[in-house]
Amino acid sequence: MDLAINLQRATGKLLSERMEIRANLSRQLFLDIAVNWFRDFDRIKLDETKGVRPARLIAYLMFWIRKVKPVSAAYREADLRAARLSGGSVPSSKEIIDINERVAILLAFEFLADYAKGKSIIVYDASLGMDRPYIYDRTKFDAAVDRYLNQRLGSDGKSVLQTLIRDMRYKAFGPHNLVHLMDQFVFRLVSE
């Protein structure tokens, strides 16, 4: 139950403070996410002899947020203000229908930052020839996330973020895909 409450709070904070979005959050669906995530965690921790990597834990949480979709009726605060000022309602075309995918991605990097603060992100340092804890610096970490999500892919010019949202929303996209995504980002942190 604590995970569900904390996840709902973190989502609400992300939406209001960082994204400037107002939305409905379902406590029952956050509970559903927590139950499914704990079931996965119990299963995957049996496979790991050195403990479960934070990237893997986070990827499974991302998967359940995206799958269960606990956020609904999401609108930008600016659109709500404009509608209030004009005396009308917000057009349905302004609803952010991919909000759960966006929340899953942004929360994943927030949680990864928390693990990095606690020195739980282990990276391979080629100059030392060994693994070491990632040395956390919020400004550098945020810049690395920004570069990673905004890099352009292929000839269509879509960013990693745009491609990831589309794939999470419309394609067969499981937790293993997300584990690779998070591991790739952690791997890149060494060179940042």
Side-chain angles (χ1 to χ4, degrees):
M1 184 65 161
D2 286 347
L3 175 61
I5 292 167
N6 291 336
L7 191 54
Q8 185 175 7
R9 283 185 188 140
T11 301
K13 183 176 179 182
L14 173 73
L15 288 167
S16 65
E17 294 178 14
R18 186 163 168 205
M19 300 174 79
E20 297 182 357
I21 290 173
R22 190 178 313 158
N24 295 330
L25 305 177
S26 169
R27 173 145 310 155
Q28 189 60 38
L29 291 178
F30 280 108
L31 184 58
D32 192 25
I33 290 166
V35 166
N36 283 291
W37 181 82
F38 277 116
R39 187 178 308 128
D40 284 342
F41 177 68
D42 285 342
R43 185 180 43 77
I44 62 177
K45 74 180 176 186
L46 297 174
D47 299 336
E48 301 286 339
T49 56
K50 295 181 181 179
V52 182
R53 297 181 321 280
R56 192 167 184 197
L57 293 174
I58 293 167
Y60 273 80
L61 193 56
M62 282 174 70
F63 170 78
W64 285 110
I65 291 169
R66 191 268 315 173
K67 182 151 182 93
V68 173
K69 300 190 183 321
V71 183
S72 62
Y75 293 93
R76 292 188 186 346
E77 290 283 358
D79 292 333
L80 293 168
R81 272 192 303 278
R84 253 190 328 272
L85 290 172
S86 71
S89 60
V90 180
S92 61
S93 62
K94 297 284 188 174
E95 183 175 3
I96 306 166
I97 61 171
D98 60 5
I99 192 62
N100 288 284
E101 290 79 10
R102 290 177 182 280
V103 163
I105 294 164
L106 294 177
L107 277 180
F109 288 104
E110 286 296 316
F111 294 150
L112 198 59
D114 288 343
Y115 276 106
K117 279 184 234 176
K119 297 189 182 342
S120 297
I121 301 293
I122 305 301
V123 294
Y124 180 76
D125 190 328
S127 67
L128 298 173
M130 59 189 264
D131 290 341
R132 66 163 172 80
Y134 169 71
I135 300 164
Y136 178 75
D137 175 302
R138 184 65 196 220
T139 303
K140 288 180 182 177
F141 185 89
D142 286 349
V145 170
D146 233 23
R147 277 191 300 279
Y148 182 66
L149 291 178
N150 291 312
Q151 70 183 328
R152 299 293 167 190
L153 301 172
S155 60
D156 68 357
K158 299 238 186 259
S159 69
V160 168
L161 179 63
Q162 291 167 318
T163 303
L164 183 56
I165 289 169
R166 182 194 66 222
D167 289 352
M168 287 173 76
R169 188 160 180 81
Y170 298 112
K171 297 188 178 187
F173 205 82
H176 303 296
N177 302 88
L178 296 165
V179 170
H180 292 301
L181 172 89
M182 298 307 293
D183 280 341
Q184 179 187 29
F185 176 76
V186 168
F187 180 76
R188 287 184 59 176
L189 282 174
V190 164
S191 62
E192 297 288 334

